Amino acid sequence: MSGKFGFFLGCVAPLRYPGIEKATREVFKALNYELVELEGAGCCPAPGVIKSFDEPTWLALAARNLAIAEKKGVDIMTICNGCYGSLFDANHVLHEHPEKLKEVNEILKDIGLHYSGKTKVRHFAEVLHNEVGMERIQAAVKNKLDLNVAAHYGCHFIRPSKIKHLDDPERPVLLDELIEWTGAHSLPYKDKNMCCGAGGGVRSRNSSLALEFTAEKLKNIKAAGGMYIIDVCPFCHLQFDRSQKDVKGYDIPVIHLAQLYGLAFGLPRSDLGLEAHEVKVNL
Amino acid sequence: MSNIKEPDPVFTKAIIDAGGKTLDLCYQCGTCTASCPSGRRTGFRTRQLIRKAQLGLKDDILPTEDLWLCTTCYSCVERCPREVEITDIITIMRNMAVKKGYMADQHKKIGASMMKTATTVPLSPENSALREKMGLPAVPPMAISDPKALEDFRTIMRKTGFDKLIGGA
Ligand code: SF4
Ligand code: SF4
């Protein structure tokens, strides 16, 4: 084994696009990593909503998840920008503010848990890029993918860069490189870094505004010749995939990076769960 | 009657005390507004919201829809020359609005779902079947499938008063 992580599932991947979960499990197995179950983990909790409603609740629920991983002695790996944003940021707050860690532990005491601050939080794409690396990934690619695709980074992956230090927040390359390692071509397109529109509780409270964001991204992706949208977040994934029945004139399949890697690694299609996608993926 | 509103330093201080200590660094350059994808398609103006927060115009902020037009994309935060933690300040004010009862029904529903299943979305029978077809457990190994973990999750929300905040779920 080259290492292990606590696999944090989140909500949208396992419940709406289980193929993202399955593909991640298989891809990391192929790369010789062990993914440990974090049984009993709950919602990250969703930063745009729960943190917007009540920060102390957000912090305590996130700390519960961090404590579950700490008890197992593993770092957390997420497959969702929202989970990453929530758990990484909460961890940062708990490190910077010992008094908040104390408060949170007062709450966790009631459920027999304690968090001492040891868990690290990683995003699966960043793990693939920075830890697994190009050589091992290219060696695992069995199907070179000759596709023109549009990368969507999403907001909570590399931003806020001040605490994440993963890439240039204005001109990131991390995801484009990960895509290129499969043989696919990551296209430049207008306003590539723009939000999908779903975050911050906007999808649930004001879906028409969220849709306007998505429509603009779809327009720019189509204009650049993107055949597929590649994301690293099940929530952006859901927004792009489901919006295309409301924004007329688009038929661009949406593929999570774990699923793209599954295709490139030659996993059976039955392990990718593409049936759950609104926009059919004919690959 | 004049339109001029009275500044309320108490409200400003409450934001700063809740963690918005960079609020007074804003010098109104407008970079945030120019960067904001939401402001491109709505009347929402980030710079104006921050100015109102500096002046403590709470009645102009807390009940408004504007406060909820931010997708928390952090574009403004990345570009602000004064390193104002704009998104965090918006979050603090949203927390204040929710405490005052300004919470959308759709948002209350998400809160209720958290109390019920420890997730924000439901699991449909189709997706359960798809999970099984792929060799995954029908229900993921999370709090949703574990009564003890679910109860622990709820205990936290009751302790922080979240259940009352969303109207007693
Ligand atoms: S970018 Fe920063 S300094 Fe400029 S107006 Fe916005 S918050 Fe103020
Ligand atoms: S974080 Fe909010 S206010 Fe800032 S640019 Fe994004 S949507 Fe606008």
Side-chain angles (χ1 to χ4, degrees):
Chain A
M1 280 291 155
S2 12
K4 63 177 175 181
F5 285 102
F7 186 21
F8 190 81
L9 303 176
C11 302
V12 182
L15 304 180
R16 289 268 166 93
Y17 295 101
I20 297 175
E21 173 187 337
K22 177 68 176 175
T24 307
R25 292 183 187 279
E26 296 302 320
V27 162
F28 277 85
K29 196 191 283 169
L31 292 168
N32 234 344
Y33 277 79
E34 184 187 349
L35 298 186
V36 175
E37 300 301 334
L38 298 173
E39 294 99 352
C43 175
C44 51
V49 280
I50 308 303
K51 191 179 175 189
S52 285
F53 305 160
D54 188 52
E55 249 189 290
T57 305
W58 166 76
L59 198 59
L61 292 176
R64 177 179 172 274
N65 290 323
L66 294 166
I68 289 175
E70 188 177 79
K71 214 168 153 186
K72 293 223 167 198
V74 288
D75 288 336
I76 281 181
M77 186 179 87
T78 79
I79 43 175
C80 169
N81 289 2
C83 301
Y84 184 57
S86 194
L87 297 171
F88 189 99
D89 295 3
N91 214 16
H92 181 76
V93 169
L94 295 171
H95 270 273
E96 298 295 297
H97 302 276
E99 77 286 358
K100 290 202 180 179
L101 182 62
K102 218 173 134 211
E103 278 167 34
V104 151
N105 275 320
E106 274 305 309
I107 298 173
L108 292 183
K109 204 157 67 187
D110 275 23
I111 56 169
L113 278 176
H114 178 85
Y115 184 51
S116 60
K118 287 205 195 83
T119 309
K120 284 200 182 65
V121 181
R122 311 275 306 261
H123 186 289
F124 86 104
E126 169 266 315
V127 169
L128 287 172
H129 189 275
N130 298 340
E131 196 163 314
V132 181
M134 181 173 76
E135 254 171 56
R136 281 158 71 199
I137 286 173
Q138 285 183 333
V141 170
K142 308 240 163 25
N143 278 334
K144 278 257 177 200
L145 302 173
D146 185 19
L147 310 167
N148 289 328
V149 307
H152 172 77
Y153 281 78
C155 303
H156 300 95
F157 178 22
I158 48 180
R159 298 195 290 250
S161 61
K162 204 177 160 181
I163 61 170
K164 288 184 174 140
H165 311 290
L166 288 179
D167 205 344
D168 183 323
E170 299 285 353
R171 287 175 196 79
V173 295
L174 198 148
L175 178 54
D176 300 273
E177 289 179 358
L178 284 165
I179 289 170
E180 304 265 334
W181 295 347
T182 67
H185 316 290
S186 188
L187 301 166
Y189 64 93
K190 190 177 170 214
D191 284 331
K192 188 164 172 172
N193 271 316
M194 200 180 104
C195 172
C196 72
V202 173
R203 179 181 160 88
S204 47
R205 182 167 174 141
N206 193 337
S207 57
S208 62
L209 173 60
L211 204 62
E212 282 186 48
F213 279 62
T214 320
E216 187 173 332
K217 287 221 79 164
L218 289 169
K219 187 176 106 206
N220 294 338
I221 287 168
K222 194 174 179 179
M227 294 155 62
Y228 299 90
I229 296 169
I230 310 300
D231 62 75
V232 288
C233 172
F235 195 53
C236 303
H237 188 96
L238 178 118
Q239 178 66 13
F240 279 114
D241 186 38
R242 301 224 166 156
S243 288
Q244 293 187 56
K245 52 175 199 293
D246 301 313
V247 189
K248 296 290 165 231
Y250 296 97
D251 200 3
I252 311 174
V254 186
I255 305 177
H256 186 271
L257 184 73
Q259 294 171 311
L260 185 81
Y261 268 44
L263 286 167
F265 284 17
L267 296 185
R269 266 187 71 103
S270 55
D271 277 352
L272 303 177
L274 299 169
E275 298 94 312
H277 295 212
E278 285 290 329
V279 183
K280 289 300 150 220
V281 187
N282 302 311
L283 256 176
Chain B
M1 267 270 298
S2 95
N3 265 331
I4 298 168
K5 291 169 182 147
E6 284 297 315
D8 175 2
V10 177
F11 182 71
T12 313
K13 186 161 181 303
I15 296 171
I16 292 171
D17 289 348
K21 54 187 188 312
T22 51
L23 175 61
D24 53 8
L25 296 178
C26 169
Y27 55 18
Q28 291 289 294
C29 68
T31 304
C32 49
T33 298
S35 309
C36 181
S38 198
R40 249 197 251 169
R41 35 188 66 77
T42 66
F44 173 51
R45 298 293 173 262
T46 318
R47 177 185 63 93
Q48 200 178 63
L49 183 68
I50 294 296
R51 184 66 185 142
K52 284 176 180 167
Q54 285 181 326
L55 292 172
L57 303 179
K58 70 167 177 294
D59 296 334
D60 272 13
I61 299 172
L62 298 187
T64 63
E65 199 56 35
D66 273 9
L67 194 52
W68 299 92
L69 296 178
C70 165
T71 64
T72 70
C73 77
Y74 288 98
S75 302
C76 54
V77 176
E78 292 294 345
R79 293 181 188 168
C80 171
R82 300 283 288 165
E83 298 193 26
V84 177
E85 289 156 327
I86 301 156
T87 314
D88 293 339
I89 291 167
I90 291 174
T91 303
I92 289 167
M93 296 193 293
R94 283 180 172 185
N95 275 217
M96 291 171 163
V98 166
K99 258 211 186 89
K100 282 200 167 288
Y102 299 118
M103 194 174 186
D105 287 341
Q106 303 94 301
H107 282 173
K108 284 186 182 160
K109 273 192 202 138
I110 296 173
S113 165
M114 291 282 285
M115 290 295 292
K116 203 169 152 221
T117 59
T119 65
T120 51
V121 292
L123 174 61
S124 68
E126 296 79 44
N127 277 327
S128 230
L130 178 56
R131 292 184 58 83
E132 284 194 297
K133 212 173 110 195
M134 291 188 294
L136 297 171
V139 186
M142 297 158 51
I144 188 175
S145 61
D146 175 345
K148 155 86 172 69
L150 197 50
E151 200 40 46
D152 286 352
F153 198 85
R154 286 181 193 138
T155 301
I156 292 179
M157 288 184 280
R158 282 193 209 102
K159 267 209 101 156
T160 60
F162 188 77
D163 53 337
K164 292 193 190 70
L165 215 53
I166 57 167

